[in-house]
Structures are given as structure tokens and as C-alpha cells.
Amino acid sequence: EVQLVESGGGLVQPGGPLRLSCAASGFTFSSYFIAWVRQAPVKGLEWVSEINSDSTITIYADSVKGRFTISRDNAKNTLYLQMNSLKPEDTAVYYCARWDHGAMDHWGKGTLVTVSS
């Protein structure tokens, strides 16, 4: 069974850092692109970033470019999102999702990030 489990969310002050993790199991993690997607309160889903299977390609939304860094450790089957210079508008539930054949076919349950003083 494919599973993606996010962790690392919490309350952080504006300007602070936070690192999210996504532990994967049930599939060959190293063979897939993986993405981070977020959903702010009363807003739709927003794609944040994605990374290819061997970490040679990383892509970011303009809203997080220069502040967030996506990475992965294929030996640990884990995806990361290092978030720096956080803003209140980064408050959201953050999900990791697996790309397969042009669609995000499996999602985690999400981890809540709240940026507030």
C-alpha cells in the first residue's frame, strides 16, 4: 500500500524557519517525482514545489522561490521542504503527493503550518 506521511508542521513566528518531512512507503520512492502542495484556510490547493527522482530538477512556485528548498533522501525514502523567512500567508496544510503519469495519484494527510506572532 502506498503511503505518504507528512510531519514537522507547527506554529512558527514570521521570519522563522521550519522543515517538513514526508516519509514514503509501499512503492519505489526513488523512481518518482514528488511534490509539495498546500491549502490555506478557505482557499484552494496551491502547488508549491516538486523534485524529480534523482534530485537534478527542482521547481518552485513564484510565491516561495528563494525561501523554500525541496530535497529528498532516496536511501531514507523521505522528502523534505525547508522553509525559511516564513510569512503569515504561508499558513496552510502542507501535503506531499506522488506524480505518476501526469497526475498526483497518492497524497498524504497533510501537516499544518501556522505562521503567526
Side-chain angles (χ1 to χ4, degrees):
E1 178 189 4
V2 173
Q3 285 195 324
L4 297 165
V5 180
E6 302 90 343
S7 61
L11 175 64
V12 60
Q13 291 190 340
L18 202 63
R19 189 175 84 153
L20 305 183
S21 299
C22 170
S25 61
F27 65 104
T28 305
F29 179 73
S30 59
S31 296
Y32 290 85
F33 281 60
I34 308 289
W36 286 102
V37 180
R38 67 186 181 185
Q39 186 167 26
V42 299
K43 289 189 178 180
L45 291 170
E46 177 189 16
W47 170 85
V48 173
S49 181
E50 65 186 62
I51 187 168
N52 73 335
S53 56
D54 64 1
S55 304
T56 54
I57 300 173
T58 57
I59 313 171
Y60 299 92
D62 287 344
S63 58
V64 307
K65 199 174 294 182
R67 300 187 298 120
F68 290 12
T69 302
I70 191 171
S71 63
R72 65 193 296 165
D73 185 336
N74 286 341
K76 295 182 178 180
N77 290 343
T78 303
L79 175 75
Y80 302 101
L81 186 68
Q82 178 66 45
M83 305 185 294
N84 296 328
S85 302
L86 282 161
K87 304 175 182 180
E89 51 263 44
D90 295 317
T91 294
V93 178
Y94 284 73
Y95 302 90
C96 58
R98 187 184 80 167
W99 277 105
D100 190 23
H101 291 91
M104 295 184 199
D105 66 341
H106 285 89
W107 296 65
K109 294 184 178 180
T111 187
L112 176 63
V113 173
T114 303
V115 184
S116 174
S117 55

